[in-house]
Amino acid sequence: MKFILKAAIPTLLLLTFGTGVFADEATDKAAIRGVLTSYEKALNAADTAAIVDLYTVDGVQMAPDFPAAVGSKAVAAAYEGTFKAIDLKLTFSIDEVKLLGPDAALLRSHSNGTVKVNGSDQPAAPAAFKELFLLARENGEQWKFTHYSFSAAPASGQ
């Protein structure tokens, strides 16, 4: 009887903790996907305030051919400049969500849609990007972007 109990305990522990960890990981990954969904909606609506709220206070946005925007004010200015210049209509697809620790994660995505140059007579043109986000869980609760970088992507988007 003692032998059976000794053999069963590690299996029970594995099942108990394995299930708990998986549930937390699934919950975190779903929350991270939700942050990207919120970003997509805010970006397509040119809602700078909603976007800045998705970043940590010291968040960093790194756009191609521009200096890094570091901190809430700089991130807000970068998006305001973007929205004055262009109108984006993008759909994001997640390629990878990876938890790097209990309060850190990586999100890799690609997006496809259109970009319209504001103030021009040109129609909206097809656009595709690839994105990399680093996220942190603030105060043990809400996931936010700490770093975001993107670049133009081939037509396949990946």
Side-chain angles (χ1 to χ4, degrees), residues 7-66:
I9 288 174
T11 303
L12 289 172
L13 287 173
L14 181 62
L15 290 173
T16 302
F17 290 110
T19 303
V21 169
F22 180 78
D24 290 341
E25 183 175 328
T27 300
D28 286 337
K29 286 184 174 183
I32 291 165
R33 286 183 184 96
V35 175
L36 185 64
T37 299
S38 296
Y39 180 74
E40 178 183 306
K41 289 177 185 175
L43 188 72
N44 289 330
D47 186 343
T48 299
I51 290 172
V52 171
D53 192 47
L54 297 172
Y55 279 84
T56 58
V57 173
D58 59 349
V60 179
Q61 185 236 40
M62 297 178 290
D65 302 322
F66 286 91

